[in-house]
Amino acid sequence: MNPGCRRPNTDEPLSAHFVENGEKPHGSTKCSTKARDKWAALKDLVKPIQILHTVALFAPLWVAHAASPGNAPPLPMAGTRVVNVATEPQLQTAMGNLQNGDTLLLADGTYHLTTSLYINGRHNVTVRGNAGSSNVVLAGKGMDNLNHGGVPFGIWSNGTNTTIAHLTIRDTWDNEIIFNPGAQSPRVYCVRLLNAGSQFIKSNPTDVHAGSGVNNGVVEYCWFEYTGSPPADHGSGVGYFNGISAHAAQNWIIRGNLFRNLHNPDGTAYPWNPAVLFWRHSVNTATEQNIFLNVDRAVAYGLDNTTPYFDHAGGVVRNNFVYLAPGLLSASRKTSSDGSIIAWNSPGTRIDHNTVLLNSNEFYAVEFRFPTTTNGTARNNLADAPIHLRDSAAATQSGNLLTAVPAMFVNPATADLHLRTSATNAIDKAAPLGTVTNDFDGDFRPRGVGSDIGADEFTTNAPPRITAFRLSGTNFLISFTTFPGVGYDVQRASEVTGTAWSLVVTNLPGTGGVVQSTDTNATGEARRFYLVRLSP
């Protein structure tokens, strides 16, 4: 599974394939790279299927509500007026004529910016593509190009209710998105952010001592990545960056994102940049259901204890996957590693139900630090490294399993830290928490006699995945993944909607491996759809 995969929360799991025009399938029908960013699942067969995407012939189908980093359901079109843009000059004209309530709808294509996009004193403005995150690209002039020619940023805003959605921003000298004093309630949704010269998303304060800044931000289903090396020295030292850095920010939600390769090599000035950093009087941040893949530090709530205020207060870090590849960090660098998830000068912070596989790169999965860090919790976390209380910090610990090994997880190298059936020391072993009622995928907890330790709530209701689909004579052979002790139905139809689905086989027993079903005498129709679901 690609690290971006997310399965819908559904009680009717299934997987679907189709053939068309009587053509013969060409061997294996494993998901394409794009399709593997999705769970091969469809929502509730008894209801009409809303939107089906065909990635390639014989590829899986999925519903519109399934969401993953960089590929989430399209936001509804809204705005006092919708301004359609198809070229970079048109985009700059639209920005120059910007009015409150405008939605700038960008046609697919790459826009090589001639100046940063400034939302200055305008409110309820949306800048977006139609859907996805890769069809519309706002390109800067190079992450390390000092001659950026008026394009230091991607999008700059001091307006309220700014929405940025369904596009890519890449290769800017400074921040790709920046919110400045005056901004409130920004939303960044299904945006791909690549190769920022500083913080990918920056939120600046109005008055740090008063705790006044940009509040109520939401960052959902976004993709943060360095595709090569991090930035050079732009004046603050080599490798100065964060995924998100927010000062004096209250009530932000960071949900369902991928942070990938936010990693500095040894010897740079910043060996421990947090991917998510909320500090300098920030309050009540929620970081949940994210993937952190090969990042130097995943989450930091607070850093500094020399301030007259709490650097951060409250907030939760829950249901996240964190994975570092073996050997990512040197042994000498590890000596100053502290933790992957840290709460420093941050009282009342809850760090619960995370899965952290560090592979000996860092000393601690979680660290609470400084005497001002009180009333924290670290509960039901699954990790391969300890939880640490440092410098008189105080936090309640319970239900943690800190001896995790890679074999417990589906595909750890891609940060797929869903539990395998063999992870019996984590499954049903946690006391339920009233503050964590779902998991990484949004599945409800508990599914068994108890909650599962870590971010994933294992369930045999996970959708089957069709792994192969081929024609043999006049028969179609459908192979799919199963769980032991669970029955599966294979169905077929000539159309997806408006046509009754007929059973090929019912209650085919699962084995825990791949099972093959045969549809005999299946040729003769111009088009056929197949799906696999749990037997009622």
Side-chain angles (χ1 to χ4, degrees):
M1 187 192 77
N2 182 281
C5 290
R6 303 180 71 80
R7 63 176 181 267
N9 183 19
T10 173
D11 293 326
E12 300 264 12
L14 55 96
S15 182
H17 275 60
F18 74 97
V19 292
E20 194 167 29
N21 300 325
E23 295 187 26
K24 180 178 178 179
H26 301 286
S28 170
T29 58
K30 292 182 180 179
C31 300
S32 69
T33 300
K34 183 175 180 181
R36 287 173 64 88
D37 284 344
K38 292 289 185 183
W39 285 91
L42 296 175
K43 170 84 171 175
D44 201 350
L45 284 179
V46 300
K47 299 177 183 178
I49 297 173
Q50 297 173 341
I51 298 177
L52 298 178
H53 301 267
T54 58
V55 178
L57 194 62
F58 322 125
L61 312 175
W62 59 83
V63 286
H65 76 275
S68 67
N71 204 338
L75 291 180
M77 197 64 64
T80 304
R81 64 173 187 169
V82 176
V83 180
N84 289 286
V85 170
T87 67
E88 201 275 341
Q90 289 178 2
L91 175 59
Q92 297 296 348
T93 298
M95 294 300 300
N97 296 325
L98 201 61
Q99 299 179 18
N100 292 335
D102 275 359
T103 290
L104 273 56
L105 180 59
L106 279 61
D108 292 355
T110 298
Y111 297 74
H112 293 282
L113 297 179
T114 56
T115 187
S116 300
L117 305 183
Y118 290 94
I119 302 171
N120 190 0
R122 298 293 184 266
H123 309 293
N124 304 305
V125 168
T126 296
V127 179
R128 63 171 294 174
N130 275 294
S133 64
S134 57
N135 296 323
V136 173
V137 179
L138 303 180
K141 298 190 176 182
M143 175 180 72
D144 288 324
N145 183 7
L146 178 61
N147 299 315
H148 52 71
V151 193
F153 312 110
I155 297 177
W156 182 106
S157 175
N158 64 4
T160 59
N161 300 308
T162 296
T163 297
I164 303 165
H166 299 303
L167 48 78
T168 293
I169 307 174
R170 63 177 303 149
D171 304 322
T172 60
W173 168 260
D174 205 332
N175 312 116
E176 297 190 326
I177 297 173
I178 183 168
F179 300 110
N180 277 311
Q184 294 293 328
S185 303
R187 185 178 191 185
V188 184
Y189 178 88
C190 197
V191 173
R192 196 172 294 251
L193 300 166
L194 305 175
N195 305 328
S198 186
Q199 292 84 9
F200 288 73
I201 296 177
K202 180 69 175 291
S203 175
N204 279 321
T206 301
D207 184 336
V208 168
H209 286 271
S212 175
V214 180
N215 300 330
N216 305 312
V218 179
V219 181
E220 288 185 300
Y221 307 121
C222 295
W223 184 302
F224 300 74
E225 183 179 10
Y226 283 114
T227 59
S229 299
D233 187 355
H234 291 191
S236 298
V238 175
Y240 175 65
F241 65 82
N242 302 100
I244 302 170
S245 176
H247 302 239
Q250 299 181 23
N251 307 319
W252 279 58
I253 297 172
I254 312 301
R255 178 189 296 133
N257 306 288
L258 170 66
F259 299 87
R260 182 173 181 176
N261 296 336
L262 274 60
H263 166 62
N264 269 322
D266 285 3
T268 58
Y270 300 92
W272 304 115
N273 289 329
V276 173
L277 171 60
F278 281 78
W279 65 319
R280 301 189 73 211
H281 221 163
S282 289
V283 176
N284 198 33
T285 311
T287 300
E288 61 182 359
Q289 298 174 326
N290 301 284
I291 301 165
F292 298 91
L293 174 58
N294 291 335
V295 302
D296 293 334
R297 176 164 286 150
V299 180
Y301 286 1
L303 287 177
D304 189 359
N305 75 326
T306 64
T307 60
Y309 46 78
F310 296 127
D311 214 24
H312 185 278
V316 297
V317 182
R318 64 190 170 204
N319 289 331
N320 298 286
F321 288 168
V322 181
Y323 177 81
L324 301 184
L328 180 70
L329 305 178
S330 66
S332 60
R333 183 168 172 180
K334 179 180 176 179
T335 59
S336 62
S337 62
D338 296 306
S340 182
I341 299 172
I342 62 173
W344 290 3
N345 193 8
S346 183
T349 297
R350 301 190 304 272
I351 302 175
D352 300 331
H353 274 291
N354 299 283
T355 299
V356 182
L357 197 62
L358 301 179
N359 288 304
S360 299
N361 284 288
E362 299 179 14
F363 277 123
Y364 304 112
V366 175
E367 183 178 83
F368 299 87
R369 187 180 183 190
F370 300 128
T372 49
T373 301
T374 59
N375 300 315
T377 67
R379 300 172 295 183
N380 298 346
N381 296 287
L382 178 58
D384 64 347
I387 293 169
H388 189 219
L389 303 181
R390 181 181 177 191
D391 295 338
S392 302
T396 299
Q397 301 181 54
S398 64
N400 300 297
L401 178 62
L402 306 177
T403 56
V405 295
M408 297 174 67
F409 307 108
V410 170
N411 190 356
T414 62
D416 181 3
L417 301 183
H418 290 90
L419 296 172
R420 290 184 178 272
T421 56
S422 57
T424 54
N425 53 343
I427 294 171
D428 294 344
K429 294 299 192 296
L433 301 177
T435 53
V436 187
T437 57
N438 64 3
D439 77 342
F440 172 85
D441 302 295
D443 292 336
F444 291 115
R445 296 180 187 269
R447 285 296 183 112
V449 296
S451 291
D452 298 346
I453 301 172
D456 178 42
E457 184 74 5
F458 176 82
T459 172
T460 55
N461 284 345
R465 180 171 61 88
I466 294 177
T467 60
F469 185 71
R470 65 187 180 87
L471 183 67
S472 177
T474 59
N475 302 329
F476 276 118
L477 307 180
I478 305 108
S479 298
F480 54 92
T481 58
T482 65
F483 286 99
V486 179
Y488 297 85
D489 289 356
V490 178
Q491 300 181 359
R492 60 173 288 188
S494 58
E495 297 290 341
V496 175
T497 58
T499 302
W501 290 81
S502 59
L503 279 170
V504 176
V505 63
T506 186
N507 206 28
L508 187 66
T511 64
V514 174
V515 168
Q516 181 175 275
S517 176
T518 302
D519 184 15
T520 59
N521 299 312
T523 58
E525 297 179 13
R527 186 164 68 171
R528 291 163 297 284
F529 292 85
Y530 288 86
L531 61 85
V532 181
R533 57 177 289 180
L534 295 178
S535 298

